[in-house]
Amino acid sequence: MTIAENIARIRANMAAAAREAGRDPKEILLVGASKMNDAAACREAIAAGIDALGENRVQEMTAKLAENAYEGRPLHFIGHLQRNKVRQVVGKAALIQSIGSEALLREVEKEAARQQLVQDILLEVNIGGEEAKSGFAPAQLEDAARAAQAMSHVRVRGLMTIPPADSDRDTNIRYFQEVRALYVDINEKLFHNELKCLSMGMSGDFEDAIRNGATMVRVGTAIFGARYYPT
């Protein structure tokens, strides 16, 4: 199937999941996770009506920016961001979805101040407590949100999470529900219900994520096909 056909199928599945949950499908954004796909594939997704494109790797993002791969749609950075690469992403990505430590938060604030702009971000929640994964533990989230609120050059737009890769479906759903509860709590407590982004769900679980409150899903393989990883 073509990228356009895949996007049409995914949108139909997104709409069905939203209606099951009594939600308006228009509330939910589709981010194409375009890692290891070239500029032509990005342009094809844009022509097919993708809402945004998301990149995981700074070097790849920079190369595609030079090719105008994202022209016409917002670019999101959705992967692990190292502090020494913040300068290459701030001001380039409309939304950095993966702010998972206060040290990274401070670095983004510093670089955004240097560029004299306000960078939109999501706070990443490490909902599975994985040692090898970045992200705030649920107990740390409120403090992180307060720290971000005190900064002048970052703006929290919501939360992002990636459940553990080895979780079964029922566990995944529980994780989605837990992150949605965190989102509702800090939205009411700190943000006057102005947060709009709850980014969760990927190719294998985006429908369950939508049923459990996601307003943004990050879909790669189901749009672009299986990725080839050289050995």
Side-chain angles (χ1 to χ4, degrees):
M1 296 179 74
T2 67
I3 288 173
E5 289 169 335
N6 287 339
I7 288 174
R9 173 176 48 81
I10 290 161
R11 285 212 182 274
N13 293 344
M14 289 172 62
R19 285 192 291 268
E20 283 179 42
R23 302 177 60 197
D24 182 351
K26 294 177 183 177
E27 294 176 357
I28 303 151
L29 298 181
L30 175 59
V31 179
S34 44
K35 179 174 72 172
M36 300 183 73
N37 287 278
D38 61 14
C42 293
R43 294 189 194 103
E44 193 175 339
I46 289 168
I50 201 85
D51 294 312
L53 287 164
E55 290 293 348
N56 290 68
R57 298 173 178 175
V58 173
Q59 186 175 357
E60 185 178 347
M61 182 198 84
T62 300
K64 289 187 206 172
L65 277 168
E67 299 179 76
N68 298 316
Y70 314 113
E71 191 169 338
R73 287 295 186 275
L75 167 63
H76 295 183
F77 191 81
I78 60 177
H80 175 66
L81 180 57
Q82 296 172 310
R83 279 180 282 164
N84 64 356
K85 294 186 177 179
V86 162
R87 180 171 293 194
Q88 296 167 263
V89 177
V90 169
K92 304 291 194 304
L95 182 67
I96 301 175
Q97 295 203 20
S98 48
I99 301 297
S101 72
E102 288 205 29
L104 178 59
L105 180 63
R106 289 192 296 271
E107 196 67 34
V108 171
E109 165 69 14
K110 178 181 174 182
E111 177 59 25
R114 189 186 73 80
Q115 295 187 32
Q116 299 183 327
L117 56 82
V118 176
Q119 177 66 58
D120 284 346
I121 64 168
L122 303 183
L123 300 176
E124 181 176 356
V125 182
N126 185 351
I127 193 60
E130 297 172 274
E131 290 186 9
K133 187 181 286 184
S134 60
F136 295 102
Q140 299 172 323
L141 187 61
E142 184 174 330
D143 285 346
R146 290 187 186 278
Q149 279 188 311
M151 297 176 179
S152 302
H153 295 89
V154 296
R155 176 169 53 192
V156 177
R157 303 306 300 270
L159 304 181
M160 183 271 264
T161 199
I162 306 171
D166 59 356
S167 296
D168 60 29
R169 184 185 179 194
D170 288 344
T171 304
N172 253 19
I173 289 171
R174 177 169 57 79
Y175 284 142
F176 290 148
Q177 291 170 342
E178 289 175 4
V179 176
R180 183 177 185 277
L182 290 168
Y183 171 79
V184 170
D185 182 58
I186 70 161
N187 206 3
E188 291 178 352
K189 189 180 294 183
L190 302 181
F191 294 97
H192 310 291
N193 290 316
E194 293 177 355
L195 299 183
K196 301 298 180 188
C197 297
L198 180 54
S199 178
M200 54 188 195
M202 299 187 289
S203 288
D205 57 13
F206 67 87
E207 291 158 293
D208 284 334
I210 289 168
R211 293 185 192 102
N212 289 281
T215 68
M216 183 182 291
V217 295
R218 310 174 306 275
V219 179
T221 302
I223 291 174
F224 298 103
R227 297 185 180 103
Y228 170 67
Y229 292 90
T231 54

